[in-house]
């Protein structure tokens, strides 16, 4: 996905069914094992999302559960996406079909990469997260709506308030999540700042 | 009126601020951009789709490290996929006039090893690289971020990042390290205390007598693993040690210009009385040689402790401990010392520098790798390799039964042919013990210092370096 040359894509809500991957500290090596990064494009990443975990689960992994096959929202635990900075991880999940993540907390680089791709990461407190996970597992066809503007999540278990940093919320709502265009707007202030630095990298 | 007291993070941030964005984030100029073959090709493709040039090619430097084989680096590389990635990087560097430190340059190596080695990494810089261990460069008092590929694109196009300021946590390590305890043990102890996500939203300032006494290479080991504690960057204030390391490097100035620089670098250190969002103290004298037993770097214990039991674990961590014990197939409550190993790996951006190899060689000189154990030593860079060979360390390792390799990331993440097989257990000087990290989906990693890895290779099992040597 890219926003830079085209019309702005403003993201004010995400709607769809959910899928739950339980567990805390799910790292990006698990989301996309390094051996699948030996390519110069992101095209094939979706096929390998959670590949080793899915093989180990012998068909019982939530990503292989037919009831969740149309899911657009991945529900996860604490510190999701820790470890490597590889954008291949959110690329894999996006190409698998996810459009947003709801979790207890997210690792910082992972969340930043998601923002760059226009994929909201929103957080829930422990009891709401447990409720949402339970609801999705009981009723996989149940719709979830995440409203970025009002910071509300609606599902069969009720309405919940979600966390999202102000800056990221602004980027999604204004279509500024693809940062190149926004950064380009600074024009020659970039060169001026660079010229004022007390160092230059040439020997 | 007196200038307000600032910490180093605030000083560096302010010097690189281009503007405040409508989102409330800062548009931050990145002085030095480092790239490698795995996370840059897609960024160059996006740039060309946008028909944008590389804005500051002279502030961008490239090397190849993740996919490069460590046995035979002759071209074309035997693995077609690896060859394609390396060729793509070479092509992108040629096309955009970016300095590339490939194997023929004599300066190739892991990006976080060669940056400091070449003097590209200097105090007060902002540095970014599409690699989470970019925090390593903070050892020099630089603010260094690991970024994703879309941000690599942003940097190529604008040399800037859109980023929110971080809080700063000062971590003071007091006392003095005991014999057999290394920088690796210090950062493992910090991560154990503060948690693998304790640093989210923070930059870590490492300080105190233990950090003051460390060499630059040891400080790099500490800063390297900041991200394993959730902190996007970590740094140490520049001091005389920093200045002496940088003197005479390829990208640092000569003579009188250097002295002027050095004075400016020292002035970047956090002011006395600067404020912090948090301060944590850790007793360095109490740190033991540390080792991981589980599936993330926070799962670590001192070598004399036993593997945790779910029963004695706080509620919120219990499921994680159970999952880790099941994956590792370790017994709760058992001693970690005596755990048999199949593979020993010395290298990586965490512990692949000359001082790491010297410590490991001291141990290697006392014995021979146990029959049945595969042991490899992978220098962090061509320069480290050359220096080690000049000191005869390669001979010490070979004689002891270790494989002596060409530089690269190697078995830290196993994107090249160096991989674990099946359920093998690896004593590793690298930075991550995640499930499947070292190339086998069911492989097992025990993180420890390079000296402890060498000792484990000889014993064929985890040993306490203080008792074995």
């Amino acid at each position: 996905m890219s926003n830079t040359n085209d019309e702005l894509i403003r993201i004010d809500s995400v709607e769809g069914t959910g899928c739950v991957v339980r567990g805390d500290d799910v790292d990006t090596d698990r989301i996309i094992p390094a051996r699948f990064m030996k390519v110069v494009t992101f095209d094939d990443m979706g096929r390998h999302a959670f590949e080793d975990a899915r093989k180990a689960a012998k068909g019982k992994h939530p990503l292989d559960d037919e009831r969740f096959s149309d899911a657009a929202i991945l529900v996860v635990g604490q510190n999701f996406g820790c470890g490597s900075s590889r954008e291949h991880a959110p690329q894999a999940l996006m190409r698998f079909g996810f459009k947003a993540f709801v979790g207890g907390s997210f690792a910082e680089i992972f969340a930043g990469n998601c923002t760059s791709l226009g994929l909201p990461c929103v957080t829930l407190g422990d009891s709401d997260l447990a409720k949402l996970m339970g609801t999705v597992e009981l009723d996989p066809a149940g719709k979830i709506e995440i409203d970025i503007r009002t910071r509300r999540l609606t599902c069969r278990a009720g309405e919940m308030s979600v966390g999202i940093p102000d800056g990221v919320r602004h980027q999604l709502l204004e279509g500024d999540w693809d940062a190149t265009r926004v950064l380009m707007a600074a024009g020659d202030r970039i060169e001026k700042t660079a010229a004022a630095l007390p160092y230059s990298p040439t020997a | 009126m007196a200038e307000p007291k600032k910490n180093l993070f605030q000083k560096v941030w302010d010097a690189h601020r281009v503007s405040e964005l409508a989102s409330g984030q800062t548009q931050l100029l990145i002085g030095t951009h480092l790239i490698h073959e795995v996370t840059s090709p897609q960024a160059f493709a996006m740039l060309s789709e946008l028909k944008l040039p590389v804005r500051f090619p002279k502030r961008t430097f490239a090397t190849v490290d993740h996919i490069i084989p460590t046995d035979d680096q002759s071209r074309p590389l035997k693995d077609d996929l690896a060859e394609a990635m390396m060729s793509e990087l070479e092509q992108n560097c040629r096309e955009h006039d970016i300095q590339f430190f490939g194997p023929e340059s004599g300066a190739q190596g892991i990006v976080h090893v060669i940056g400091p080695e070449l003097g590209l990494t200097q105090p007060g810089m902002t540095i970014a690289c599409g690699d989470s261990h970019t925090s390593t460069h903070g050892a020099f008092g630089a603010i260094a971020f690991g970024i994703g590929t879309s941000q690599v694109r942003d940097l190529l196009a604008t040399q800037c990042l859109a980023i929110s300021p971080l809080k700063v946590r000062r971590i003071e390590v007091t006392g003095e390290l005991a014999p057999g305890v290394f920088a690796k043990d210090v950062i493992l102890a910090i991560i154990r205390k503060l948690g693998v996500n304790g640093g989210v939203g923070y930059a870590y300032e490492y300080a105190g007598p233990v950090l003051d006494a460390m060499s630059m290479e040891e400080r790099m080991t500490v800063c390297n693993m900041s991200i394993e504690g959730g902190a996007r960057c970590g740094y140490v204030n520049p001091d005389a040690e920093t200045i002496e390391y940088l003197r005479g490097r390829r990208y640092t100035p000569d003579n009188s210009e250097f002295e002027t620089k050095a004075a400016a670098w020292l002035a970047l250190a956090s002011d006395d009385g600067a404020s912090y969002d948090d301060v944590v103290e850790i007793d360095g004298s109490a740190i033991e040689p540390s080792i991981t037993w589980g599936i993330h770097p926070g799962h670590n214990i001192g070598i004399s402790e036993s593997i945790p039991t779910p029963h004695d674990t706080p509620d919120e961590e219990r499921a994680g401990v159970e999952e880790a014990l099941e994956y590792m197939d370790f017994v709760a409550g058992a001693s970690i010392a005596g755990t048999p190993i199949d593979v020993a790996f010395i290298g990586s951006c965490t512990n692949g520098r000359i001082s790491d190899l010297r410590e490991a060689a001291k141990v290697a000189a006392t014995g021979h790798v146990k029959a049945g154990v595969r042991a490899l030593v992978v220098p962090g860079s061509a320069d480290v390799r050359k220096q080690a060979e000049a000191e005869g360390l390669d001979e010490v390792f070979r004689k002891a039964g270790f494989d002596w390799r060409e530089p690269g990331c190697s078995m830290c993440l196993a994107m090249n042919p160096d991989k674990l097989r099946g359920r093998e257990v690896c004593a590793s000087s690298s930075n991550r013990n995640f499930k499947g990290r070292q190339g086998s989906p069911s492989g097992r990693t025990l993180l420890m210092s390079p000296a402890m890895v060498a000792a484990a290779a000889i014993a064929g099992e985890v040993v306490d370096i203080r008792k074995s040597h």
Side-chain angles (χ1 to χ4, degrees):
Chain A
M1 207 175 342
S2 184
N3 200 358
T4 310
N5 254 1
D6 315 311
E7 222 175 302
L8 292 184
I9 301 170
R10 299 173 196 269
I11 298 164
D12 49 18
S13 67
V14 180
E15 244 188 277
T17 58
C19 172
V20 181
V21 169
R22 285 184 181 265
D24 296 337
D25 306 312
V26 171
D27 59 78
T28 53
D29 276 85
R30 224 184 295 176
I31 298 169
I32 182 83
R35 62 183 184 281
F36 302 119
M37 302 200 300
K38 234 168 14 179
V39 284
V40 295
T41 72
F42 289 127
D43 300 350
D44 276 342
M45 288 304 123
R47 287 200 293 139
H48 300 300
F50 280 111
E51 177 148 330
D52 291 343
R54 289 160 72 186
K55 276 198 179 136
K58 300 192 170 76
K60 301 259 194 254
H61 193 277
L63 265 63
D64 291 319
D65 187 329
E66 276 183 11
R67 297 175 305 149
F68 300 123
S69 59
D70 295 326
I73 295 166
L74 186 62
V75 186
V76 298
Q78 302 291 337
N79 200 29
F80 186 77
C82 60
S84 158
S85 62
R86 61 188 69 164
E87 188 173 306
H88 304 67
Q91 287 275 358
L93 297 172
M94 177 177 81
R95 286 160 198 271
F96 189 85
F98 296 111
K99 297 185 173 66
F101 304 97
V102 184
S105 62
F106 294 90
E108 209 160 332
I109 303 180
F110 177 85
N113 285 338
C114 287
T115 304
S116 292
L117 298 174
L119 305 171
C121 291
V122 301
T123 56
L124 279 178
D126 290 350
S127 79
D128 279 343
L129 183 60
K131 250 194 253 171
L132 178 64
M133 285 183 166
T135 303
V136 172
E137 284 170 344
L138 271 174
D139 176 21
K143 284 267 184 272
I144 302 169
E145 190 190 348
I146 304 166
D147 189 323
I148 305 294
R149 195 173 298 278
T150 60
R151 294 185 156 108
R152 304 295 288 175
L153 180 150
T154 316
C155 65
R156 253 186 64 173
E159 210 179 297
M160 304 165 177
S161 103
V162 297
I164 181 167
D166 292 340
V168 175
R169 174 174 170 273
H170 181 279
Q171 284 180 290
L172 293 170
L173 292 176
E174 300 303 319
D176 284 356
W177 46 270
D178 188 336
T180 301
R181 184 185 53 77
V182 177
L183 296 168
M184 290 289 282
D188 67 358
R189 270 181 297 164
I190 296 174
E191 275 70 17
K192 283 185 185 145
T193 309
L197 288 180
Y199 60 92
S200 82
T202 23
Chain B
M1 205 176 77
E3 287 275 310
K5 310 270 189 213
K6 286 183 183 178
N7 58 47
L8 177 138
F9 181 87
Q10 292 161 335
K11 294 182 196 182
V12 176
W13 188 272
D14 291 347
H16 292 82
R17 188 197 307 265
V18 175
S19 72
E20 296 302 313
L21 299 170
S23 61
Q25 294 167 310
T26 299
Q27 176 160 358
L28 194 73
L29 188 80
I30 298 300
T32 301
H33 183 196
L34 305 171
I35 60 175
H36 62 77
E37 76 283 10
V38 178
T39 56
S40 71
Q42 301 89 343
F44 281 106
M46 294 181 212
L47 198 70
S48 112
E49 233 172 81
L50 297 169
K51 301 193 173 54
L52 290 172
V54 175
R55 188 120 169 197
F56 290 87
K58 297 291 169 225
R59 289 187 179 276
T60 312
F61 298 87
T63 191
V64 54
D65 52 10
H66 285 62
I67 54 90
I68 198 157
T70 59
D71 48 1
D72 177 7
Q73 298 187 340
S74 57
R75 304 290 296 275
L77 302 176
K78 286 194 197 93
D79 176 348
D80 292 342
L81 297 173
E83 175 60 32
M85 295 185 84
M86 188 154 164
S87 305
E88 180 98 359
L89 180 64
E90 289 169 322
Q91 168 66 26
N92 284 328
C93 289
R94 263 198 307 274
E95 195 174 309
H96 297 282
D97 195 22
I98 291 167
Q99 172 79 55
F100 173 58
F101 296 109
E104 307 87 70
S105 71
Q108 177 265 337
I110 305 176
V111 63
H112 310 309
V113 177
I114 70 166
E117 214 168 66
L118 290 165
L120 281 169
T121 305
Q122 296 172 14
M125 284 183 168
T126 49
I127 297 175
C129 175
D131 190 289
S132 60
H133 293 114
T134 307
S135 55
T136 310
H137 306 267
F140 292 80
I143 298 302
F145 299 109
I147 56 176
T149 295
S150 293
Q151 289 176 309
V152 174
R153 172 206 61 200
D154 295 343
L155 271 188
L156 292 172
T158 71
Q159 201 65 25
C160 294
L161 292 177
I163 187 168
S164 296
L166 297 168
K167 293 183 281 186
V168 182
R169 172 179 290 144
R170 182 173 162 95
I171 300 172
E172 288 185 35
V173 187
T174 60
E176 201 181 335
L177 298 184
V181 178
F182 297 93
K184 180 65 153 288
D185 304 306
V186 172
I187 187 62
L188 284 172
I190 290 171
I191 296 167
R192 181 181 181 189
K193 182 176 167 104
L194 299 175
V196 287
N197 59 356
V200 173
Y202 282 95
Y204 279 175
E205 176 177 300
Y206 302 103
V210 166
L211 272 294
D212 292 343
M214 279 186 183
S215 70
M216 290 314 295
E217 297 196 351
E218 292 173 304
R219 293 175 190 179
M220 284 188 246
T221 299
V222 172
C223 290
N224 173 274
M225 288 183 69
S226 299
I227 188 66
E228 313 312 334
R232 196 154 184 197
C233 65
Y235 66 88
V236 178
N237 285 305
D239 62 8
E241 188 74 22
T242 319
I243 306 300
E244 287 321 303
Y245 179 97
L246 288 170
R247 196 183 292 280
R249 304 264 160 192
R250 179 157 158 192
Y251 283 86
T252 48
D254 296 329
N255 307 325
S256 67
E257 202 192 328
F258 184 85
E259 301 311 325
T260 313
K261 279 265 179 190
W265 287 338
L266 291 172
L268 288 163
S270 295
D271 297 328
D272 284 338
S275 68
Y276 295 91
D277 300 283
D278 192 27
V279 178
V280 172
E281 198 177 290
I282 287 181
D283 178 5
S285 309
I287 298 174
E288 273 201 292
S290 299
I291 178 167
T292 62
W293 57 268
I295 55 173
H296 67 55
H299 286 153
N300 78 76
I301 49 177
I303 182 73
S304 68
E305 295 176 70
S306 43
I307 296 169
T309 60
H311 179 71
D312 297 325
T313 305
D315 286 352
E316 65 276 15
E317 289 166 30
R318 190 168 302 131
V321 168
E322 283 168 352
E323 182 186 2
L325 288 172
E326 188 189 340
Y327 181 83
M328 297 301 286
D329 196 19
F330 285 171
V331 179
S335 164
I336 189 87
T339 304
I341 65 151
D342 306 292
V343 179
F345 170 63
I346 295 169
S348 85
C349 60
T350 311
N351 280 128
R353 298 184 180 78
I354 189 66
S355 55
D356 299 312
L357 303 194
R358 285 179 190 140
E359 290 297 337
K362 275 188 216 162
V363 177
T366 65
H368 195 277
V369 172
K370 179 95 169 178
V373 172
R374 280 191 286 145
L376 65 161
V377 182
V378 182
S381 71
D383 197 62
V384 170
R385 184 178 150 94
K386 207 169 87 185
Q387 180 61 30
E389 289 179 352
E391 297 177 21
L393 305 185
D394 57 324
E395 271 312 301
V396 173
F397 285 121
R398 281 203 193 94
K399 227 186 250 173
F402 289 81
D403 255 12
W404 176 248
R405 297 295 187 86
E406 300 284 344
C409 299
S410 180
M411 208 188 266
C412 174
L413 85 170
M415 282 191 76
N416 78 343
D418 309 330
K419 294 179 197 309
L420 296 186
R421 299 189 279 257
R423 292 284 283 151
E424 280 179 336
V425 173
C426 180
S428 181
S429 73
S430 56
N431 42 57
R432 289 186 172 136
N433 51 333
F434 297 151
K435 289 181 179 178
R437 170 74 178 182
Q438 292 190 287
S440 160
S442 56
R444 294 173 284 176
T445 302
L446 308 177
L447 302 178
M448 59 191 90
S449 72
M452 285 274 284
V453 175
I458 289 168
E461 60 181 41
V462 172
V463 291
D464 185 341
I465 184 91
R466 296 168 304 181
K467 292 180 186 155
S468 66
H469 287 82

